[in-house]
Amino acid sequence: MKGNTMAITTATGARYFIGGTTAIPYTTDAAAIAAFEALTWVEIKEVEDGGEVGDESSDVTFQSLGDGRVRHLKGARDAGTIAIVVGDDPLDPGQIAMRAAEKTKFNHNFKIEYEDAPSELYENSVDYFRGLVMSARKNIGTGDNVLRRTFNVGVSTPILSVDTALA
């Protein structure tokens, strides 16, 4: 596109947060986003890899006898499991909250803020969702590795995105 500015960016600066277990009303996207924005958040520090975020439809197939073709249909939507890899810090309040959340069976609130504002006139975009912390495994590796921990978060709700907007 000649003459247009691209607004792609890197993942550098992305920040991950955990909130409490307060239920969020998903009556409308706007109401849910307002409820998420009113929460108190604890940043999860030393995130090295934030995983993949977003819905994927299951593949539902049907095989027609008449023409011998398989038809693909979109089934249930699944936001999957996000693998958040951190440099293991036993004193970080966010990581402490994640380890505590893993010991429960309750959904927690999550926020990801991206450093993607295209200029100082804009705000960063944000994703909000609820999920279960399914694991808090420590990755040891070899002698010269940093101790890491992987928190797998099973996403239980739609991911609500607040796109970058004018400040």
Side-chain angles (χ1 to χ4, degrees), residues 38-118:
L39 296 175
T40 300
W41 298 98
V42 178
E43 186 171 0
I44 304 161
K45 298 283 188 150
E46 304 302 338
V47 175
E48 177 183 49
D49 186 336
E52 293 184 349
V53 179
D55 273 345
E56 179 176 11
S57 296
S58 60
D59 184 12
V60 178
T61 60
F62 169 80
Q63 183 178 352
S64 175
L65 295 176
D67 64 8
R69 297 294 307 169
V70 174
R71 311 253 190 325
H72 292 267
L73 301 118
K74 290 172 81 171
R77 302 198 44 85
D78 181 1
T81 300
I82 300 171
I84 302 171
V85 179
V86 300
D88 189 40
D89 182 351
L91 302 178
D92 174 61
Q95 290 187 33
I96 291 168
M98 291 291 281
R99 289 192 302 275
E102 187 276 327
K103 295 180 184 339
T104 76
K105 61 180 182 176
F106 305 116
N107 277 299
H108 284 71
N109 299 303
F110 291 91
K111 169 183 168 180
I112 306 171
E113 182 177 346
Y114 306 95
E115 194 172 286
D116 62 352

Side-chain angles (χ1 to χ4, degrees), residues 93-161:
Q95 290 187 33
I96 291 168
M98 291 291 281
R99 289 192 302 275
E102 187 276 327
K103 295 180 184 339
T104 76
K105 61 180 182 176
F106 305 116
N107 277 299
H108 284 71
N109 299 303
F110 291 91
K111 169 183 168 180
I112 306 171
E113 182 177 346
Y114 306 95
E115 194 172 286
D116 62 352
S119 78
E120 66 279 352
L121 301 176
Y122 291 81
E123 294 179 342
N124 292 328
S125 62
V126 178
D127 286 335
Y128 295 107
F129 59 93
R130 289 176 54 75
L132 297 163
V133 180
M134 307 297 283
S135 69
R137 292 185 172 165
K138 187 178 281 191
N139 309 321
I140 301 163
T142 62
D144 284 341
N145 283 358
V146 170
L147 289 176
R148 291 173 173 82
R149 190 172 294 270
T150 301
F151 296 106
N152 285 306
V153 179
V155 180
S156 301
T157 63
I159 296 174
L160 298 175
S161 295

